[in-house]
Amino acid sequence: MSLKSVNDILGVLEQQTKWQEPPFQRLLNCWAEVVGAVVAVNARPVSIQRDVLWVATSSAAWAQNLTFGRQSLLLKLNQKLPTPLVDIRFSSADWQRPPDVQKLPPTVLPHEHPSYLGAKISPRPEAANTIKTANDAFESWAKTMQTRSHNLPLCPQCQCPTPPGELERWRVCSPCATKHIVH
Ligand SMILES: [Zn+2]
């Protein structure tokens, strides 16, 4: 793995962390205050998609009522949010579904990142005795990475060995995914 691709992965990580921050969390925090206790019991924000807020309601009647009042609700919510919402959709169909935010970890942990290959990146214990200098350590690391990359599938875009987790997530390697995200 080149230093460049390490930097690319860090860039992706950084962007992902930003994506996981509000506005949705911020919206949840102010939701009950804006809509009031009665509505909050019957209407629960589920997600924000393309600046449209999706709200699950306890019944179709609640969905209908809130749809009528959504413009004034939109105004009140947008005063609290960093990026304004363009619309709100209410549906009783999503009521049983837990909100998206519960599925997201607060930060990306290394083992949750698609580039993660396992916990054995550090030299094995029996190899530790033979590593005397930083250079030895680097060579051992490089050898490990090289062995790993020989077993890895290739990125369909640039043909570099790519961790399967990255292909699963982006269908390309993380540097290619980064290029894609930027555009
Ligand atoms: Zn690639």
Side-chain angles (χ1 to χ4, degrees):
M1 196 189 298
S2 72
L3 192 59
K4 188 190 167 298
S5 63
V6 171
N7 281 333
D8 283 345
I9 291 167
L10 290 177
V12 170
L13 274 173
E14 211 173 83
Q15 285 189 352
Q16 284 181 339
T17 312
K18 276 183 202 150
W19 293 339
Q20 285 166 4
E21 281 170 9
F24 186 60
Q25 188 58 50
R26 196 185 286 213
L27 180 125
L28 283 182
N29 293 340
C30 72
W31 177 251
E33 181 196 330
V34 171
V35 299
V38 177
V39 174
V41 169
N42 292 288
R44 191 176 57 212
V46 176
S47 64
I48 295 176
Q49 287 168 32
R50 298 171 200 273
D51 297 331
V52 174
L53 171 64
W54 291 81
V55 176
T57 59
S58 61
S59 71
W62 268 107
Q64 208 170 14
N65 275 335
L66 290 167
T67 301
F68 283 128
R70 76 182 188 284
Q71 288 303 337
S72 69
L73 188 55
L74 206 55
L75 285 176
K76 284 189 222 163
L77 286 172
N78 281 346
Q79 286 168 4
K80 311 254 179 194
L81 299 175
T83 29
L85 300 165
V86 296
D87 205 356
I88 312 177
R89 304 280 160 78
F90 299 94
S91 166
S92 54
D94 287 334
W95 185 246
Q96 299 301 330
R97 221 183 88 189
D100 281 355
V101 75
Q102 290 182 358
K103 283 182 273 171
L104 293 173
T107 51
V108 178
L109 300 173
H111 68 271
E112 286 165 338
H113 193 267
S115 306
Y116 185 71
L117 286 171
K120 291 179 183 165
I121 299 227
S122 50
R124 282 153 299 163
E126 68 265 29
N129 296 329
T130 66
I131 294 173
K132 299 275 189 306
T133 67
N135 199 38
D136 285 348
F138 176 78
E139 270 172 26
S140 155
W141 174 81
K143 208 176 279 178
T144 309
M145 293 314 286
Q146 206 176 11
T147 315
R148 275 172 196 280
S149 29
H150 284 159
N151 300 324
L152 292 177
L154 299 180
C155 165
Q157 207 156 308
C158 69
Q159 308 298 318
C160 312
T162 306
E166 295 185 11
L167 291 179
E168 233 170 76
R169 176 130 170 192
W170 296 305
R171 288 176 224 288
V172 290
C173 69
S174 56
C176 287
T178 313
K179 278 174 220 153
H180 184 70
I181 289 163
V182 167
H183 289 143

